[in-house]
Amino acid sequence: MTFEEIRNNENIKDYIREADHYLGALGYTEHGFAHVGIVVKRTEMILRTLGFDEKTIELAKIAAYLHDIGNIVNRKGHSQSGATMAFRILDNLGFSAIEISAIICAIGNHDEGDGLPVSPLAAALILADKSDVRRSRVRNDDINDFDIHDRVNYSVTDTDLLINKEEREVELRLSIDHNISSVMDYFSIFMQRMELCQKAANSLDMRFKLVINGQQLF
């Protein structure tokens, strides 16, 4: 069973779609196919740049694709719910215990608060997930009705995650429109995420850098 087979599984697509629909009803930013697609690509990029083997990369891509399905249960504790759901899905599809363990460990540890970069898969997933800050994630069409999460995401006009293997650096580079949101707003809601990114980078023997509008802030 390959990542492409997982990506094309209609039942899994429904879980992702419905989880995103539930979060939309709660007013959260986009967590659907655009988000998981970016997270898959960045997870692969991180591990491939650092020289990990194809098997590890394949399992990491599956973890990245499935990482937010637990939101269909509840936003609170969604990483653990998602890991439990992924176990059942992958077990039924014939994945081995070793493969399932690697995937659900990464899913269960990807979120701030209770997640830790306990494996290279988990570390790459954390960095890929937490770096997805962008204007197109905002669902609200009325800028006058934005909450702080809407403002911060909408203010980000450009984002990139860079891996420098030689310098052992992971750099999250953002461009923010200060007319919409301030850097302080960003830190007020994302500080815990940046601290988790720092731990994730360190676990890969890397340093984490946050650069906003050309200035290093973390």
Side-chain angles (χ1 to χ4, degrees):
M1 183 67 67
T2 66
F3 165 72
E4 285 302 319
E5 290 175 295
I6 293 294
R7 188 174 68 87
N8 291 318
N9 184 292
E10 291 301 323
N11 287 334
I12 293 173
K13 287 182 180 179
D14 283 342
Y15 285 131
I16 294 171
R17 189 178 294 112
E18 290 304 306
D20 184 47
H21 177 74
Y22 164 71
L23 288 184
L26 293 177
Y28 282 84
T29 54
E30 183 267 328
H31 283 71
F33 294 109
H35 172 61
V36 298
I38 288 171
V39 175
V40 167
K41 289 180 181 178
R42 289 183 179 174
T43 299
E44 178 180 11
M45 180 271 292
I46 293 165
L47 294 178
R48 192 174 299 283
T49 302
L50 296 179
F52 283 86
D53 61 275
E54 291 298 325
K55 182 64 173 182
T56 298
I57 293 171
E58 188 79 354
L59 295 178
K61 289 166 65 177
I62 293 170
Y65 190 70
L66 298 175
H67 80 279
D68 268 344
I69 59 174
N71 283 307
I72 194 62
V73 178
N74 197 291
R75 178 61 180 172
K76 185 176 181 180
H78 76 280
S79 54
Q80 286 75 36
S81 299
T84 302
M85 291 174 64
F87 168 82
R88 181 178 182 276
I89 292 168
L90 299 173
D91 188 46
N92 287 340
L93 291 174
F95 281 74
S96 71
I98 296 298
E99 293 169 332
I100 293 172
S101 296
I103 293 168
I104 66 174
C105 178
I107 294 172
N109 278 283
H110 83 269
D111 207 31
E112 65 271 17
D114 49 17
L116 290 169
V118 294
S119 70
L121 275 74
L125 178 54
I126 287 166
L127 290 165
D129 181 41
K130 306 313 172 193
S131 64
D132 186 22
V133 185
R134 54 187 160 83
R135 175 168 292 187
S136 55
R137 293 194 74 178
V138 178
R139 304 178 198 261
N140 191 348
D141 294 328
D142 184 1
I143 195 169
N144 296 313
D145 193 39
F146 280 0
D147 63 14
I148 188 171
H149 289 85
D150 289 337
R151 288 202 315 274
V152 168
N153 279 277
Y154 195 81
S155 72
V156 178
T157 57
D158 190 43
T159 177
D160 202 4
L161 184 68
L162 307 173
I163 308 297
N164 189 322
K165 184 178 180 181
E166 289 70 30
E167 296 295 328
R168 310 304 298 178
E169 289 183 345
V170 180
E171 180 180 327
L172 175 57
R173 185 179 297 173
L174 303 174
S175 296
I176 288 181
D177 184 343
H178 290 299
N179 293 317
I180 299 171
S181 183
S182 69
V183 173
M184 287 302 297
D185 283 341
Y186 179 90
F187 277 111
S188 70
I189 61 172
F190 288 151
M191 185 63 184
Q192 196 174 16
R193 296 185 187 185
M194 296 302 96
E195 290 173 344
L196 184 57
C197 284
Q198 186 176 53
K199 291 177 182 178
N202 290 344
S203 75
L204 294 169
D205 193 29
M206 308 278 282
R207 295 181 299 275
F208 177 71
K209 292 170 57 178
L210 172 65
V211 177
I212 299 179
N213 293 351
Q215 293 187 321
Q216 182 176 340
L217 301 171
F218 198 90

